[in-house]
Amino acid sequence: MSRENVEIVRSLYDFFNRTGAPKLDVFAAGFEWHAREDFPDARTHTGHAGVLALVAKWAAAFDDLRLEADELIDAGDHVVVAARIRGQIKGTAEKVEMPETQVWKLHEGKVLEVRAYLTSAEALKAVGLEE
């Protein structure tokens, strides 16, 4: 099932970059997104409404918001994603690119949780795959 999890997560990045929206049918009803502690929205976003509010907040701040998955690591029920958040600050010419590593937890094809980390070392440690 773990390789399937990697493909599910990859497809979610692709879907977001095509549509600008999360593919909600893959997220469990009580899903939790734990934002990075150094971000202004550093809290847990719960359920479909929570993830939609988070995406709306980011979309309001950036033009051409994109989530790039540079590397996906199979960790059983978890997928570790070395990612970049890219976009242009609304109303300016300033482009932004922020690295982030996320740990996606899945069960039976549904996303249960995402935890975002500043470094890949933190994320790998969280799933027992220390660098």
Side-chain angles (χ1 to χ4, degrees):
M1 183 76 154
S2 57
R3 188 71 202 149
E4 182 179 328
N5 288 342
V6 169
E7 293 310 315
I8 289 169
V9 172
R10 183 185 321 275
S11 74
L12 292 173
Y13 276 84
D14 292 344
F15 184 85
F16 180 85
N17 288 328
R18 277 193 324 273
T19 67
K23 191 172 190 305
L24 292 178
D25 65 332
V26 180
F27 291 90
F31 159 80
E32 292 182 342
W33 186 290
H34 303 270
R36 270 181 22 200
E37 293 178 8
D38 62 321
F39 279 176
D41 56 356
R43 65 180 183 83
T44 300
H45 305 272
T46 305
H48 293 161
V51 75
L52 287 171
L54 178 63
V55 168
K57 187 175 188 176
W58 279 84
F62 294 95
D63 287 323
D64 194 29
L65 178 64
R66 297 192 52 81
L67 303 175
E68 304 291 340
D70 295 326
E71 180 180 15
L72 291 93
I73 300 168
D74 178 352
D77 289 340
H78 295 87
V79 177
V80 179
V81 182
R84 286 176 289 130
I85 303 166
R86 298 172 59 185
Q88 183 172 322
I89 297 176
K90 269 211 194 291
T92 75
E94 185 178 347
K95 294 188 185 241
V96 175
E97 181 171 308
M98 297 173 281
E100 175 172 282
T101 305
Q102 301 166 344
V103 174
W104 292 68
K105 181 178 180 182
L106 293 94
H107 180 72
E108 295 181 354
K110 294 283 187 183
V111 178
L112 303 178
E113 178 182 59
V114 176
R115 288 192 180 268
Y117 297 89
L118 181 59
T119 69
S120 59
E122 291 173 303
L124 291 171
K125 183 176 183 180
V127 295
L129 298 174
E130 306 200 32
E131 284 187 318

